[in-house]
Amino acid sequence: MQVGYVGLLKAINNFDPAVGGSLAAYAQPCISGEIKRHFRDKRWHVHVERSVQERVLQVRQATRQLTQQLGRQPADAELMAHLGITDAELREARRADMVFQPVSLDAPVAGQPEAGRLADVLGDEDPLMEQAVDMESVAAHWGELPRREQKILLMRFYGDMTQAEIGRSLGISQMHVSRLLAHALGYLRDRIMADPEAESTGMAA
């Protein structure tokens, strides 16, 4: 009703009695157009570009027309040829059509009340994925370290050995182990942070 009132006010402001004698006849399409624009622009739960919204309507209309003509659901190629659009544009329109009436994450799968929720079957963030990316970044520069520093890092972070234990195993002082460890970590950190692809991981060696 509010949108209709807006259309009526616009009709009153724009009405010229010298052109037409009936305000009601002039106001009717103005009000109807305002309401149609409201539903076109405001009913989408996710923002969709105007051109894509229009393509969604075109695909719907073409689907109905071709189904009636062919006696079956039209294939994608037939829809694309009828509308003169590409496969990417058709897929984009179908994705946009899905967000017009999104499904609740609490909705039962396959519409069965006793079935699990839709949220239960959706993927979740894998905490090991970021670790895998970080390790890949380290591996890219691992071979640049001296063999002894590689061994110290493995003993420290995979063998869970203390610096004193590493020193006794390698026959060097704990202070020397500390310096080599700091050098290796600093080198890897600098190389990884200097790599544009690795900066997005936010990883510090």
Side-chain angles (χ1 to χ4, degrees), residues 68-184:
Q68 189 172 13
Q69 294 174 9
L70 302 173
R72 57 173 174 79
Q73 282 286 108
D76 288 354
E78 293 169 329
L79 277 172
M80 290 186 290
H82 181 80
L83 294 172
I85 60 177
T86 65
D87 179 63
E89 290 172 332
L90 178 60
R91 286 187 281 109
E92 183 181 40
R94 285 180 169 163
R95 287 196 300 269
D97 201 8
M98 292 173 63
V99 306
F100 187 72
Q101 292 181 323
V103 179
S104 171
L105 293 178
D106 292 322
V109 179
Q112 300 298 324
E114 65 278 4
R117 299 180 308 144
L118 177 60
D120 296 333
V121 298
L122 296 178
D124 198 359
E125 291 186 7
D126 187 349
L128 296 179
M129 183 61 68
E130 186 173 350
Q131 180 183 356
V133 174
D134 291 345
M135 294 308 299
E136 183 67 22
S137 300
V138 171
H141 303 287
W142 180 259
E144 301 168 11
L145 293 173
R147 294 295 298 274
R148 184 164 63 169
E149 292 185 9
Q150 293 178 9
K151 187 173 183 178
I152 290 175
L153 288 175
L154 291 174
M155 296 171 74
R156 178 68 184 91
F157 295 103
Y158 284 90
D160 199 24
M161 297 173 63
T162 66
Q163 293 183 11
E165 291 172 337
I166 295 173
R168 286 194 297 270
S169 176
L170 298 179
I172 58 179
S173 67
Q174 179 180 344
M175 185 64 69
H176 196 184
V177 171
S178 178
R179 286 197 296 267
L180 292 174
L181 188 61
H183 175 268

Side-chain angles (χ1 to χ4, degrees), residues 48-64:
V48 177
E49 294 181 1
R50 179 71 57 81
S51 60
V52 180
Q53 293 181 25
E54 294 173 351
R55 193 175 303 122
V56 169
L57 299 178
Q58 293 170 357
V59 170
R60 289 178 184 173
Q61 184 177 7
T63 300
R64 288 194 296 267

